[in-house]
Amino acid sequence: MRFAVCHRTEYHYGRAMSDGYTVAHLVPRATPRQVVESTSLDLDPSADEQTEHLDAFGNRVMRIGIHRPHDHLVVTARSVVRVEVPQSVVGGAQPTWEQTADAVREARGDLACEVGPFAALTPSTPALPEVVDLCADVMLPGRPIGETVQALSTRIFTDFAFDPEFSDVSTPLADVLRARRGVCQDFAHLMLACLRANGLAARYVSGYIETDPPPGQPKLAGTDASHAWCGVWAPGIGWFDVDPTNDQMPPRRHVTCAWGRDYTDVAPVRGVVIGPAAAQSLSVGVDVTSLP
């Protein structure tokens, strides 16, 4: 599958800022199943400073500096990617989730560097008692790792309501568990917390998903979304992805941008501005289009 992705982020300030610095994870990364055919980054106003580097997880990171007065910032990232949807990991010979946890714990050398950071709890993925309770009857003794991850995805999809008005990037996981609602970022964090609490290595994946319009209605510009899901590691399988928000394993219309331990590692856009106290507005529009 081929996709064209356009992510447009607009900041407007009530008064001109004298300086600004932005860090962005907006450019898709190459993976074993994803080829990035082209990328571009357009800025308004133009940057006085613009660099790119790879972070500790291999993600492409853009650094943008505007060191003159400006009352707005528009960042538009465009990419074309080719994505191969992998085979399902459910079924067939595979390790149990306990054997997978043992392999994570016993990892040494390069493997420890690969999986270790994603087995550790973070402030966004704590091992709360409610987390342990949620997955207690999913983590059955001797259950294959693929079946276990699929069952956990289904549990989150079934028990939690998608509610874009409920949470933001600062909402703690305890509030999501209490209200039984949230957005993709919350559900990814919840799944990571469940897996890590049981000794498994799982990473937060950020990217994009192509969406369908309501039946009988045309697809509108800017109505696709930044998205988040999870990657899980298992011996003999490697990393495989699961999307608990849509209960898809493997995800089918997803474009991978970056991965890390949680949202804080891979926020799409973050930064600071220096200037007088002023109101600030933010708007984000995403388009994902299938290509021949």
Side-chain angles (χ1 to χ4, degrees), residues 270-287:
R270 66 172 54 179
V272 296
V273 289
I274 299 173
Q280 175 179 297
S281 65
L282 167 66
S283 63
V284 178
V286 178
D287 289 301

Side-chain angles (χ1 to χ4, degrees), residues 26-250:
L26 293 174
V27 179
R29 61 178 292 162
T31 77
R33 296 187 178 88
Q34 179 170 283
V35 175
V36 182
E37 297 184 358
S38 66
T39 62
S40 67
L41 192 70
D42 297 326
L43 302 171
D44 179 22
S46 60
D48 299 304
E49 174 188 357
Q50 182 175 343
T51 62
E52 178 182 341
H53 74 278
L54 299 181
D55 67 12
F57 304 115
N59 304 310
R60 298 175 65 179
V61 185
M62 306 293 181
R63 295 180 180 269
I64 303 160
I66 299 176
H67 309 310
R68 62 189 189 276
H70 59 287
D71 61 5
H72 68 281
L73 172 62
V74 182
V75 182
T76 305
R78 294 182 175 88
S79 304
V80 175
V81 299
R82 186 170 71 252
V83 180
E84 173 191 351
V85 179
Q87 297 286 329
S88 172
V89 299
V90 176
Q94 59 183 265
T96 66
W97 72 265
E98 298 103 325
Q99 291 170 331
T100 301
D102 289 342
V104 171
R105 185 177 61 254
E106 296 167 2
R108 298 292 184 272
D110 290 344
L111 180 60
C113 293
E114 179 182 352
V115 303
F118 304 109
L121 300 174
T122 71
S124 297
T125 62
L128 303 171
E130 297 89 345
V131 166
V132 177
D133 292 343
L134 178 70
C135 58
D137 62 349
V138 172
M139 315 299 290
L140 301 176
R143 196 172 202 177
I145 182 62
E147 181 183 317
T148 301
V149 173
Q150 178 66 79
L152 180 58
S153 171
T154 301
R155 168 62 56 82
I156 294 172
F157 178 77
T158 302
D159 289 5
F160 290 76
F162 185 85
D163 183 353
E165 304 300 323
F166 171 74
S167 61
D168 58 33
V169 296
S170 64
T171 303
L173 191 60
D175 289 358
V176 176
L177 283 158
R178 188 178 304 111
R180 284 297 200 265
R181 60 186 57 248
V183 295
C184 60
Q185 169 192 298
D186 303 310
F187 302 150
H189 282 155
L190 177 56
M191 188 160 200
L192 295 178
C194 290
L195 294 169
R196 293 172 181 172
N198 286 279
L200 299 171
R203 61 195 183 193
Y204 181 101
V205 185
S206 72
Y208 307 104
I209 181 172
E210 183 190 32
T211 60
D212 290 321
Q217 296 186 25
K219 185 171 182 175
L220 301 177
T223 55
D224 291 306
S226 294
H227 196 47
W229 59 97
C230 302
V232 185
W233 181 85
I237 298 174
W239 291 97
F240 61 95
D241 285 359
V242 56
D243 179 357
T245 302
N246 296 292
D247 196 21
Q248 287 186 7
M249 194 178 91

